[in-house]
Amino acid sequence: MSVSKPPPPHSHFPPSNPSSHLPLPPSSSSSTPPFAVGPPSPAVPPPPSPVKISMQEHFAINVCPGPILPIPQISDFFPRFHDYPIAPPPPREKKVLKDKDKDGDGNGEKDRKRDREQDENGEFADSDDDDTYLGTLEFNLLFDQENNCLHCTIHKAKGLKAMDSNGLADPYVKLHLLPGASKANKLRTKTLKNTLNPVWNETLIYHGITAADMTTKTLRLCVCDMDRLGRNEFIGEVRVALKKLKEGESKKYYMGLERIAQTREGNSQAVDHGAPVAEEERGRILVSLLYITEKSSLIVGIIRCAHLAAMDSNGYSDPFVKIVLQPNMGKKSKYKTSVKKKTLNPEFNEEFTYEVPHDQLAKKTLEISVWDYDLGMSNDFIGGVELGVNAKGERLKHWFECLKNKGKKVEYWHTLTQQGAPCSD
């Protein structure tokens, strides 16, 4: 019985042949696959384990070289979020711009010269600071000394800061005279809805402004955002010293809005500065006098009042004017204007006639008093003025010009005082 040999195991490689140029794979285990051709490759090292880095190190990789500057925090711009007082971070220096000025062709020196000229003229130059972010305001100022008026024409604003959730604002402009900001010298434009580039083209007029006021007063123009559901928000402001404005000259301004620390000028009226401050607080009145020889009559015109003192709790008054020609001539010597509700700058334009011979006017005194009307209560005295031969300064000059220039209407602004206030109305 013959035993057959099992067949040889199947192999993909030909049998060993000394004359063959393909070597057989080694019998020992190796990383080289059995079907690889050529000399064995070296052993491959295992992959390195991943390196763990922090998030700060991750963002610090591949950044621009240079000095490390502190990153401004939101609390730096809103100090009220700090538990303790802290100064705002210093502004970053623009070294790149300085290097360009040195290496340039002299344009940097021209830019600096132009900036100095614009600062002197009160104009605004575009920049990338906070002023550009708040916006710019364009307006005109004109002082009419003959009529004692300051004309403020508000043209437009540009690039205002967005204050509403829709990325827009409802801007308006309000004006004050400093020092002594109050509702008496407050003017404001209309409100424009949903715009960052409003165009008003409105002219607001301050009446009763004298040449002395132009040397001491400063005009403040504030741009605010109207909010019906809450308090109106402050965007920015500009200030102009009126002493730089020449008489009869219309000067145009294009200035950047700023955030200036607000001070309570209205509540900080110094009492120890003397009588002029107390007189200014009461307000002013524009009176016209005209004597007609043909009718032997003196016509007294109560034109308007300006910057009256507030007597009511709402910050306003309900003013009216009383005039009396002394010595008392009975009912014909007392007159009263109409009442203007809730205003500190009323306009009356009312005239009253006294029949009196011209030769007796030298013995007469015209008493003018301004009152605040209160329903069901005694009226409050705001201020008064007396015109006659016993008066002084502008009051005496006004009376004499009326007596001298018959048939000519003479208008004067007079400051209201508390001197000679009657006990009741």
Side-chain angles (χ1 to χ4, degrees):
M1 178 175 176
S2 63
V3 178
S4 62
K5 294 182 180 180
H10 179 72
S11 176
H12 294 284
F13 299 95
S16 176
N17 187 3
S19 62
S20 174
H21 65 279
L22 295 176
L24 293 175
S27 60
S28 63
S29 63
S30 175
S31 61
T32 305
F35 51 83
V37 178
S41 61
V44 179
S49 60
V51 179
K52 296 183 179 180
I53 60 175
S54 63
M55 185 64 67
Q56 289 81 0
E57 293 175 340
H58 173 71
F59 285 107
I61 298 175
N62 295 331
V63 297
C64 297
I68 299 177
L69 300 177
I71 301 176
Q73 303 295 324
I74 187 65
S75 56
D76 295 335
F77 302 97
F78 299 92
R80 63 178 179 273
F81 292 121
H82 281 286
D83 297 334
Y84 53 90
I86 186 171
R92 299 191 177 191
E93 297 181 358
K94 302 176 183 179
K95 297 182 179 180
V96 179
L97 295 179
K98 292 183 179 180
D99 295 339
K100 288 182 179 180
D101 292 343
K102 293 179 181 180
D103 300 336
D105 54 354
N107 293 332
E109 184 64 27
K110 294 180 181 179
D111 295 340
R112 288 191 293 270
K113 184 177 180 181
R114 184 177 66 252
D115 294 341
R116 287 195 299 268
E117 293 177 354
Q118 291 174 344
D119 292 340
E120 294 175 357
N121 298 332
E123 297 177 354
F124 174 78
D126 289 336
S127 61
D128 55 353
D129 54 6
D130 292 339
D131 294 344
T132 306
Y133 180 66
L134 296 177
T136 59
L137 183 64
E138 182 179 344
F139 58 96
N140 272 63
L141 297 180
L142 171 64
F143 175 55
D144 184 5
Q145 186 173 3
E146 182 179 357
N147 297 318
N148 295 105
C149 296
L150 177 63
H151 299 262
C152 309
T153 303
I154 311 299
H155 293 295
K156 61 182 178 180
K158 184 178 180 181
L160 295 181
K161 179 181 178 181
M163 305 298 292
D164 298 339
S165 58
N166 59 359
L168 300 173
D170 303 328
Y172 67 91
V173 182
K174 63 179 180 178
L175 287 70
H176 285 104
L177 288 176
L178 305 178
S182 64
K183 291 184 179 180
N185 56 38
K186 173 186 173 182
L187 300 176
R188 82 170 259 177
T189 66
K190 60 184 179 182
T191 303
L192 301 181
K193 298 291 185 178
N194 298 327
T195 178
L196 299 180
N197 300 283
V199 178
W200 289 284
N201 288 329
E202 287 189 49
T203 300
L204 308 176
I205 303 177
Y206 277 106
H207 296 277
I209 302 298
T210 62
D213 294 330
M214 297 295 293
T215 59
T216 59
K217 295 290 186 179
T218 299
L219 180 65
R220 180 175 68 188
L221 301 93
C222 301
V223 181
C224 302
D225 172 63
M226 184 177 179
D227 189 359
R228 291 184 177 180
L229 302 179
R231 188 177 180 181
N232 295 343
E233 296 178 291
F234 174 78
I235 299 179
E237 70 174 60
V238 297
R239 299 189 182 189
V240 178
L242 298 181
K243 62 183 179 181
K244 298 181 180 180
L245 191 63
K246 298 181 181 179
E247 177 191 354
E249 176 187 1
S250 179
K251 189 172 182 180
K252 186 174 183 179
Y253 295 85
Y254 185 70
M255 303 178 66
L257 299 178
E258 300 176 342
R259 287 187 179 271
I260 303 176
Q262 302 293 323
T263 57
R264 296 183 178 271
E265 293 88 356
N267 298 332
S268 62
Q269 296 291 338
V271 180
D272 56 348
H273 282 185
V277 176
E279 292 180 356
E280 184 66 23
E281 287 182 354
R282 311 315 301 175
R284 295 177 181 177
I285 185 170
L286 179 59
V287 181
S288 66
L289 298 178
L290 170 63
Y291 188 82
I292 302 179
T293 308
E294 293 79 4
K295 298 182 180 180
S296 298
S297 300
L298 174 66
I299 300 178
V300 180
I302 305 299
I303 302 177
R304 69 187 313 136
C305 296
H307 318 323
L308 294 180
M311 307 301 292
D312 297 338
S313 59
N314 58 4
Y316 293 96
S317 296
D318 302 325
F320 68 95
V321 181
K322 289 180 60 178
I323 57 175
V324 180
L325 188 63
Q326 300 286 3
N328 198 330
M329 299 169 52
K331 294 183 179 180
K332 295 183 179 180
S333 64
K334 298 181 180 180
Y335 292 100
K336 186 184 299 186
T337 68
S338 58
V339 179
K340 303 297 181 181
K341 294 290 185 178
K342 196 179 178 181
T343 178
L344 300 177
N345 298 279
E347 185 174 357
F348 299 99
N349 290 323
E350 300 183 26
E351 293 184 344
F352 307 94
T353 303
Y354 290 100
E355 295 181 358
V356 55
H358 185 269
D359 55 356
Q360 295 184 12
L361 282 179
K363 303 176 183 180
K364 299 291 184 178
T365 300
L366 182 65
E367 296 179 355
I368 303 175
S369 56
V370 183
W371 298 80
D372 171 53
Y373 176 77
D374 289 328
L375 181 62
M377 302 174 60
S378 60
N379 299 326
D380 299 323
F381 176 75
I382 298 179
V385 62
E386 293 184 359
L387 306 180
V389 293
N390 297 325
K392 297 180 180 179
E394 295 291 326
R395 306 169 187 178
L396 179 61
K397 182 180 179 181
H398 190 189
W399 191 256
F400 275 158
E401 285 192 12
C402 174
L403 299 180
K404 180 180 179 181
N405 303 304
K406 301 176 184 178
K408 179 181 178 181
K409 181 182 291 188
V410 183
E411 295 182 358
Y412 267 76
W413 280 95
H414 298 288
T415 302
L416 300 176
T417 65
Q418 290 182 323
Q419 298 178 358
C423 298
S424 62
D425 58 336

